[in-house]
Amino acid sequence: MGTNFIIDNKEEGKFLVNRQTFVDPQILEEEQDKIFSNCWIYVGHESEIKTNGDFHTRDVAGRPIIFTRDDEGKVHVLLNTCTHRGSLVCRGENGNCKTFLCSYHAWSFKNSGELIGVPLESGYPASFNKKDYGLHEVRNESYKGFVFCNYNNEAESLEEYLGEAKDYLDYVADQSAAGMEVIEGTQKYAIRANWKLLGENSIDGYHVSYNHKTYLDFMVDEGQDVSKGLFGEGRSLGNGHAVMEYEGPWGRPVAKWQDNWSEEAKVRIEKKRQELINRLGEEKAYKVMDASRNVWIFPNLIINDIMSLTIRTWNPISPDYMEVTAWALGPVDENEEERAHRLDSFLTFLGPGGFATPDDVESLETAQLGFKKTINEVKWSDISRGMHRDISPTTDEKQMRSFWRKYNELMTVDEKQNSEKEPKLV
Ligand code: FES
Ligand code: FE
């Protein structure tokens, strides 16, 4: 479709997104190739595989993988396809085991991916070497417990890729000196909308007062002051990553007390605040304790560090359908009451049946229907809010433009390479 994924006109302050990117199956194929097969894609948190032998199976960038810790404690991301003739070697969703046994012809693999057992092995010629048939290991790296993989072995390191976004993973990882853990109880749901819409929505401060009125009314009923909205800033973090950071009207179990929590919690939280200031210094401790933020790590990871702390990732299945997974994260040494507040918000605000996510899902699904039915007449969406100013409140759309500029860069990389090869006109 040429280079017209976006129109980015800084002089006129105009930023438009081509709606074909939400409906065209060929564009999704290109995205799988140019984005999901080239970027660092989130796999899971190390705390999910605490013990040697722990594993989870999941889809990462459209591929079935096994996220596992071997008997020596090393983390692996293995493709869940038998090197014999393709079947899944692990059918369970999660568990703990020493070996994966393919149910087709019973080849067996260690939890490190090494092939260790082949029935009737004497039927193979002498050149057959089990060492050549281990499960395919996907390149993976971890930053502060967050494990990502990359299907492109030539790609930059994870740390280079994350760039400024690393600070925002630090604000999460440093919330407890004892470490952070994914809490049992995964949210899984699907949305009949294009995958990019969920990223946009997750860092969109503009919609909150209108789309989530029910939740805000609920907070008012609970005696909280919501009059300031999400007072803060939207920023690009480079490389397609972005953040919306603000002071939210809610308590944060990590270290910000809320009026209707217990007096014991107030005392505990005051102690935690002091510990954070001593350990991290005033400035960083403020970020950890009082600031809320929604971080979009390109292309499909959101960290919602708000009244609860969630990791959210999602996979496009077709241009108009995505599958979403979300986990709650918390300090391993958290008190029972704070943990209960955290999990309550994980359901009440962020859960697929809560006060907010159904609003978002409805908005995204109706947008998708609009794109599908009116694509011949209405070809562009507008994401220009705040183009005229350097500092953007959370209600601007600078965060989304950060994504779309990177998206455009990756999706047009062939065109750029071709045009560089063409002789220059003089
Ligand atoms: Fe796995 Fe044959 S396909 S053992
Ligand atoms: Fe929302």
Side-chain angles (χ1 to χ4, degrees):
M1 62 173 283
T3 53
N4 296 329
F5 294 106
I6 59 170
I7 291 175
D8 185 3
N9 186 332
K10 295 188 180 78
E11 275 114 65
E12 280 183 30
K14 193 166 250 207
F15 196 102
L16 304 177
V17 170
N18 193 326
R19 292 185 175 192
Q20 283 291 351
T21 63
F22 301 124
V23 297
D24 186 338
Q26 204 191 319
I27 291 180
L28 177 59
E29 270 180 41
E30 277 182 52
E31 290 171 348
Q32 295 286 16
D33 184 37
K34 294 177 174 170
I35 294 177
F36 288 95
S37 298
N38 272 303
C39 293
W40 284 96
I41 307 294
Y42 183 68
V43 176
H45 192 264
E46 282 177 21
S47 66
E48 293 178 87
I49 46 170
K50 269 193 205 113
T51 309
N52 293 356
D54 282 356
F55 72 86
H56 285 265
T57 54
R58 47 189 61 150
D59 273 7
V60 176
R63 282 89 154 170
I65 62 102
I66 313 170
F67 176 43
T68 177
R69 190 180 290 278
D70 71 19
D71 290 343
E72 269 76 58
K74 187 171 183 290
V75 172
H76 297 270
V77 177
L78 305 168
L79 289 185
N80 192 2
T81 178
C82 184
T83 45
H84 178 222
R85 277 162 48 201
S87 291
L88 288 174
V89 297
C90 180
R91 290 166 179 274
E93 221 176 309
N94 54 59
N96 182 288
C97 69
K98 287 197 168 295
T99 53
F100 302 114
L101 177 69
C102 180
S103 58
Y104 200 178
H105 314 91
W107 281 24
S108 53
F109 301 84
K110 262 169 94 167
N111 51 18
S112 57
E114 196 185 322
L115 176 63
I116 47 169
V118 174
L120 309 177
E121 195 179 338
S122 59
Y124 286 96
S127 59
F128 179 82
N129 187 342
K130 288 208 284 293
K131 281 200 169 47
D132 299 334
Y133 291 91
L135 296 176
H136 180 93
E137 172 104 40
V138 187
R139 181 181 169 200
N140 64 87
E141 289 176 24
S142 166
Y143 183 75
K144 301 250 174 132
F146 295 89
V147 179
F148 294 73
C149 74
N150 199 317
Y151 295 101
N152 176 4
N153 289 331
E154 309 294 310
E156 66 207 313
S157 71
L158 173 64
E159 292 214 17
E160 281 171 82
Y161 177 82
L162 290 172
E164 272 187 67
K166 277 191 301 183
D167 292 347
Y168 289 83
L169 292 179
D170 291 348
Y171 300 144
V172 170
D174 294 343
Q175 291 188 1
S176 163
M180 302 294 285
E181 64 181 355
V182 162
I183 304 162
E184 210 176 324
T186 310
Q187 292 175 356
K188 287 188 171 187
Y189 54 104
I191 306 177
R192 289 184 213 90
N194 185 270
W195 67 275
K196 300 180 286 296
L197 298 180
L198 182 59
E200 288 186 346
N201 169 263
S202 303
I203 52 163
D204 177 3
Y206 193 18
H207 77 295
V208 177
S209 309
Y210 317 106
N211 203 16
H212 298 311
K213 192 170 176 315
T214 311
Y215 182 68
L216 296 176
D217 288 349
F218 162 75
M219 288 180 79
V220 171
D221 285 349
E222 296 256 294
Q224 294 178 67
D225 177 10
V226 300
S227 59
K228 278 203 251 158
L230 306 183
F231 181 71
E233 199 189 336
R235 291 206 302 122
S236 161
L237 299 173
N239 235 2
H241 316 308
V243 64
M244 172 172 90
E245 194 166 28
Y246 49 92
E247 284 193 13
W250 41 67
R252 288 164 51 76
V254 57
K256 186 181 170 202
W257 187 71
Q258 181 176 306
D259 289 350
N260 55 1
W261 293 354
S262 75
E263 286 302 312
E264 293 80 28
K266 192 177 190 177
V267 174
R268 273 194 306 271
I269 283 180
E270 197 42 58
K271 253 175 85 181
K272 280 204 263 182
R273 293 179 74 84
Q274 209 44 62
E275 187 276 325
L276 283 164
I277 292 168
N278 295 344
R279 182 160 53 88
L280 305 175
E282 290 270 352
E283 202 180 319
K284 193 165 174 187
Y286 162 78
K287 293 266 198 184
V288 169
M289 299 180 305
D290 296 317
S292 286
R293 73 211 113 235
N294 306 64
V295 188
W296 187 0
I297 295 184
F298 191 94
N300 66 335
L301 172 65
I302 291 281
I303 308 282
N304 286 313
D305 186 3
I306 45 182
M307 73 298 278
S308 183
L309 173 51
T310 71
I311 304 169
R312 174 190 285 167
T313 184
W314 60 101
N315 272 320
I317 305 299
S318 62
D320 58 358
Y321 193 81
M322 70 180 114
E323 288 177 348
V324 187
T325 309
W327 300 269
L329 193 70
V332 296
D333 55 349
E334 190 160 59
N335 171 274
E336 216 175 293
E337 185 185 339
E338 277 83 272
R339 180 60 63 95
H341 288 310
R342 177 181 301 282
L343 291 180
D344 183 63
S345 288
F346 183 50
L347 291 179
T348 312
F349 182 70
L350 292 147
F355 278 135
T357 297
D359 303 332
D360 294 312
V361 170
E362 177 71 6
S363 300
L364 269 47
E365 291 192 344
T366 58
Q368 187 69 35
L369 275 180
F371 299 150
K372 184 177 166 194
K373 293 183 174 178
T374 67
I375 192 73
N376 290 333
E377 293 80 25
V378 187
K379 297 183 189 306
W380 299 90
S381 286
D382 184 280
I383 306 196
S384 308
R385 273 186 74 81
M387 281 280 275
H388 60 294
R389 51 188 167 205
D390 290 335
I391 299 202
S392 275
T394 57
T395 48
D396 277 358
E397 290 165 341
K398 186 190 254 180
Q399 309 87 282
M400 287 143 232
R401 291 192 288 277
S402 170
F403 170 87
W404 280 106
R405 286 183 179 127
K406 183 68 184 179
Y407 175 92
N408 189 53
E409 183 192 313
L410 293 175
M411 291 290 281
T412 56
V413 77
D414 293 343
E415 288 157 39
K416 271 185 220 124
Q417 278 165 359
N418 290 340
S419 71
E420 273 159 25
K421 279 182 213 143
E422 278 165 20
K424 290 216 168 67
L425 294 173
V426 279

